[in-house]
Amino acid sequence: MTTTSAAATGVAGGTERVIGYSRAINEALAEEMRRDERVWMMGQDIGRLGGVFGLTRGLLDEFGPLRVRDTAINETFIVGGAAGAALAGTIPVVELQFADFLFTAADEIFHKLAKWRYMHGGQFTMPVVVRLPSGVVGGAGAEHSQSLETIAMHVAGLKVAVPATPSDAKGLLKAAIRDPDPVLFFEHKGLYRVKGPVPESDEHVVPFGSARVARPGNDLTVVATGLMVDRAVAAAEQLAPHGIDVEVIDPRTLVPLDIDTIVASVERTHRLMVVHEASRTAGFGAEIATQVQERAFFALDAPVWRVCGTDTPLPQDPELEQACIPSTDEIVAAARALAAI
Amino acid sequence: MTNDPGPDREQVQREVYRKVVTIRFAELRIREHVEKEGFGGFWHPGIGQEGLQVGAVSAMQDDDYLYYAHRGLGYAFAKGMPLEPLFGDLLGRANGSTRGKGGGTVHFADASRHVLGQGGTLGSNFVMGAGTAAASQLLRDGRVTVVFFGDGASGRGTWHEAALQASVWKLPVVWICENNGWALSARFTEQSPTEHVADRAPAYGMPGVVVDGQDAMAVHDATAEAIDRARRGEGPTLIEAKTLRIRGHYEGDRQPYRDDPVLGDEIPNDPVHRLGESIPDDVRRGIDAEARSQVEQAFGAALAAPRADRSVIFEDVWA
């Protein structure tokens, strides 16, 4: 355990440890299950194996087979069953092995989770968390690598979290489990091994709808999520010596979206670029660009740009795959060009 | 539950009759409204199927969970929901159980009576029902979940996923198929390789029971047995109640696809008559009169209620 200053980490006060993003998620699950015995989990290979990415390791031993349940390959049951279990007073936290599989449980996610409360006049709450290992991880292929968070944004009734750091992974997951509404929790597979400081507290809960300034700056605002946050910060560090001071904002949740923080930043920097791994067309970058021009058109000195994943399926080859998502170099080049307008 | 006639059973049958005949009057009142006044939604009549719905639900305890199907009001009324909010939902009134978001009978609910609602996609309640039962198993609350569906929905893949997991986990859930022979325009016999939906149950290691759906008390007894089994921790049962679709898929459906006799007003093996046979005439007439007046009063109250304000559009998206 190490203790770092609040100024160095951006976390106010208290003791911290440096742990991995995976460990942070595992701790959030364990702590919330200890806190509230209505919380339980199901999914494929989450029990005996501890999850294909090891996120649920040790939980079966601690909480037993009724609270950490291995299922068959049956995504409609995993999500639809969670919806039904939520109506009966429990808080299911379920895992789909890959975020892409949300399409195999699409009716359950976009209809049952998102609309049940609404359709039935507000008589029920739907406290379900669906954990979705997301994004490019290296050769997983077109149906195991997508970033689908924008699709989740488009259907009313779902909250959407996209944690980029171990601290946010833990704090947002704890918030998600305590939320009475359904949450799609997009964990980036490429971040599972990344380490970072996490507050030493059972009450480290990161509220939804509060963006984080990952790097302060004055010349250009870059909004990025997931794996792209670190790349955007790395790009900013490369640009700093060249007199381009980039502010990187990580919204942390897309629903609700903290547009106020983004607009306030743009009003200072007068330039905006959105970076996301998801395909370019109709991605959340388009939404953010639109909202910013609606609210702060006259603050903009240049068009809003997007640096995004290609409008293609993802090839399985790891090198080709990387060519389909924004690299640090691409972010640097685009930011330099945008700053020059 | 026993099949022996006795005072308790007579009381149960009389109560089933009362509810069935009430729903019959409700069916006729709704049809009259749809025909005379026009109607913005789709009313999927359940006339002729009231017996199996009420019979089955009457075997449930108050705190058991119900997922109903789309054909009629028998399920929810039998679970204790008053008629006025049901009619309110049908007519899109603010006094509906969905507070005006309804219109058509598809999405009524009553959390206090554990009427959990219905999805718009048929067969989605297979997996939800299994999940509700998993919650009961976790909480050890002793509750059983009953899920209704039609022969059409039996084609959904969600059935396979739910039935398999429910049986492996021995979840306290009972599935009740109302096989009325038609999934909109699709004949059951052309969409099933087996004679019965219940024939599929053994593959999931659960009992499959075929019962005469026009015999409300037979459905009651089969359901009671399945519920007891579920409550004992022995897992799910699939009950198939054989019935008939008397009217179209929705009221107003001209059924050009139908190659069996379109029944219209005739209800072969009418559950109302079967239940009423053993009730003395004067008692039965009293029940009928009270049921009719209850329906008229509730329908009138729903008609008189205001439509929902547009502000409800933005309510209940979030908790």
Side-chain angles (χ1 to χ4, degrees):
Chain A
M1 197 170 80
T2 60
T3 303
T4 47
S5 74
T9 63
V11 178
T15 312
E16 293 176 352
R17 291 164 306 145
V18 172
I19 60 172
Y21 185 100
S22 300
R23 177 68 185 273
I25 288 168
N26 181 276
E27 285 186 3
L29 293 168
E31 286 172 15
E32 293 307 297
M33 288 178 79
R34 279 178 213 130
R35 183 185 61 81
D36 187 340
E37 62 185 18
R38 296 171 302 165
V39 179
W40 65 290
M41 302 169 37
M42 62 176 161
Q44 293 156 29
D45 307 301
I46 64 164
R48 189 177 299 150
L49 179 66
V52 287
F53 297 104
L55 278 285
T56 54
R57 222 169 266 158
L59 300 180
L60 174 63
D61 287 344
E62 181 174 353
F63 299 102
L66 274 184
R67 292 184 71 194
V68 181
R69 302 195 88 158
D70 276 326
T71 66
I73 299 174
N74 54 8
E75 287 83 3
T76 76
F77 172 73
I78 293 169
V79 181
L87 297 182
T90 67
I91 302 172
V93 182
V94 300
E95 177 179 303
L96 295 184
Q97 216 151 56
F98 290 82
D100 313 68
F101 300 171
L102 68 79
F103 289 124
T104 64
D107 181 48
E108 286 68 30
I109 290 175
F110 298 113
H111 294 156
K112 304 300 156 297
L113 292 185
K115 298 174 175 51
W116 200 266
R117 172 181 177 78
Y118 187 84
M119 292 195 309
H120 296 99
Q123 291 196 51
F124 307 102
T125 54
M126 194 55 88
V128 174
V129 180
V130 184
R131 294 187 33 248
L132 297 158
S134 176
V136 161
V137 72
E143 296 170 346
H144 290 72
S145 305
Q146 295 164 93
S147 296
L148 298 170
E149 56 274 9
T150 305
I151 287 171
M153 270 179 99
H154 193 63
V155 177
L158 300 166
K159 292 184 178 173
V160 180
V162 284
T165 68
S167 178
D168 286 345
K170 183 168 181 179
L172 288 171
L173 183 52
K174 287 169 74 82
I177 293 169
R178 297 178 188 197
D179 199 298
D181 290 315
V183 176
L184 300 193
F185 195 83
F186 289 90
E187 303 162 4
H188 200 294
K189 301 192 290 286
L191 294 172
Y192 278 148
R193 293 178 181 175
V194 169
K195 287 185 159 56
V198 177
E200 178 87 63
S201 163
D202 281 0
E203 289 305 311
H204 170 53
V205 178
V206 174
F208 276 39
S210 111
R212 176 180 71 99
V213 179
R215 183 192 187 279
N218 292 309
D219 298 331
L220 166 67
T221 301
V222 171
V223 174
T225 59
L227 187 69
M228 294 298 118
V229 176
D230 282 351
R231 292 188 183 180
V233 170
E237 297 308 330
Q238 287 184 35
L239 289 162
H242 301 281
I244 302 172
D245 188 18
V246 175
E247 176 148 298
V248 179
I249 294 177
D250 170 10
R252 303 201 283 195
T253 60
L254 295 172
V255 180
L257 176 67
D258 180 6
I259 193 69
D260 290 348
T261 295
I262 297 167
V263 167
S265 174
V266 171
E267 283 171 343
R268 273 190 301 106
T269 65
H270 309 294
R271 284 175 169 76
L272 173 64
M273 189 164 88
V274 186
V275 181
H276 60 65
E277 182 175 325
S279 294
R280 178 183 180 87
T281 299
F284 70 79
E287 178 62 29
I288 289 173
T290 303
Q291 289 196 33
V292 167
Q293 67 83 19
E294 283 169 344
R295 289 189 41 179
F297 182 77
F298 295 104
L300 288 165
D301 285 345
V304 179
W305 280 11
R306 290 173 292 167
V307 179
C308 304
T310 51
D311 284 330
T312 66
L314 287 156
Q316 190 151 12
D317 177 83
E319 276 183 36
L320 291 176
E321 175 187 77
Q322 279 300 319
C324 294
I325 67 171
S327 65
T328 302
D329 288 348
E330 282 172 286
I331 299 168
V332 167
R336 200 192 287 271
L338 182 57
I341 290 176
Chain B
M1 200 60 228
T2 165
N3 286 313
D4 295 336
D8 285 353
R9 185 168 179 78
E10 197 174 282
Q11 212 171 353
V12 170
Q13 181 164 344
R14 209 167 275 194
E15 185 60 8
V16 170
Y17 175 80
R18 185 185 70 78
K19 288 175 175 169
V20 167
V21 84
T22 306
I23 290 306
R24 174 62 53 83
F25 286 129
E27 284 276 346
L28 295 172
R29 182 66 188 87
I30 293 165
R31 187 196 296 174
E32 181 191 340
H33 179 79
V34 172
E35 284 173 351
K36 288 188 181 162
E37 309 294 328
F39 181 60
F42 287 100
W43 163 244
H44 302 94
I47 195 162
Q49 300 180 212
E50 309 97 327
L52 75 91
Q53 295 170 5
V54 173
V57 174
S58 297
M60 297 172 71
Q61 291 182 0
D62 286 348
D63 60 357
D64 287 336
Y65 291 109
L66 172 65
Y67 289 91
Y68 55 87
H70 61 286
R71 203 156 283 291
L73 306 173
Y75 332 87
F77 182 67
K79 196 70 170 61
M81 277 186 79
L83 287 173
E84 191 179 317
L86 293 171
F87 290 144
D89 284 329
L90 174 73
L91 299 169
R93 297 302 203 269
N95 68 344
S97 72
T98 60
R99 300 190 302 121
K101 288 207 180 80
T105 54
V106 177
H107 303 301
F108 45 79
D110 188 335
S112 69
R113 293 180 172 87
H114 292 184
V115 178
L116 295 182
Q118 182 173 236
T121 50
L122 297 184
S124 54
N125 61 8
F126 292 128
V127 286
M128 290 188 71
T132 300
S136 287
Q137 191 178 58
L138 174 66
L139 299 172
R140 295 185 175 83
D141 62 18
R143 295 170 187 166
V144 173
T145 300
V146 174
V147 178
F148 283 88
F149 63 103
D151 49 290
S154 76
R156 283 293 309 279
T158 47
W159 160 254
H160 176 70
E161 298 198 5
L164 190 71
Q165 202 70 67
S167 195
V168 166
W169 288 355
K170 296 197 181 306
L171 296 179
V173 59
V174 175
W175 326 98
I176 301 179
C177 178
E178 295 179 75
N179 188 342
N180 67 12
W182 288 94
L184 213 167
S185 71
R187 278 190 91 109
F188 175 69
T189 50
E190 289 166 5
Q191 298 298 333
S192 177
T194 56
E195 187 182 353
H196 307 298
V197 173
D199 293 340
R200 302 168 197 172
Y204 298 98
M206 72 174 85
V209 180
V210 178
V211 62
D212 176 1
Q214 305 309 96
D215 183 345
M217 292 310 289
V219 179
H220 172 278
D221 295 344
T223 308
E225 192 178 331
I227 286 176
D228 283 349
R229 181 175 185 274
R231 225 185 293 282
R232 287 195 306 268
E234 293 170 27
T237 300
L238 171 58
I239 295 171
E240 178 178 6
K242 299 288 194 184
T243 186
L244 296 156
R245 200 179 82 194
I246 306 298
R247 308 284 293 182
H249 174 61
Y250 57 90
E251 197 59 55
D253 176 6
R254 298 165 66 88
Q255 308 188 74
Y257 49 80
R258 201 142 172 184
D259 52 8
D260 64 340
V262 174
L263 294 165
D265 293 321
E266 184 199 346
I267 303 173
N269 216 354
D270 190 336
V272 171
H273 298 155
R274 285 181 73 158
L275 284 161
E277 274 168 4
S278 60
I279 300 174
D281 279 355
D282 56 329
V283 175
R284 191 166 43 75
R285 277 195 292 270
I287 296 172
D288 290 0
E290 197 183 321
R292 188 191 295 270
S293 113
Q294 197 187 348
V295 166
E296 282 307 321
Q297 193 183 355
F299 205 84
L303 277 174
R307 292 188 57 82
D309 186 83
R310 286 187 180 193
S311 61
V312 302
I313 292 169
F314 299 98
E315 288 173 4
D316 303 322
V317 180
W318 308 109

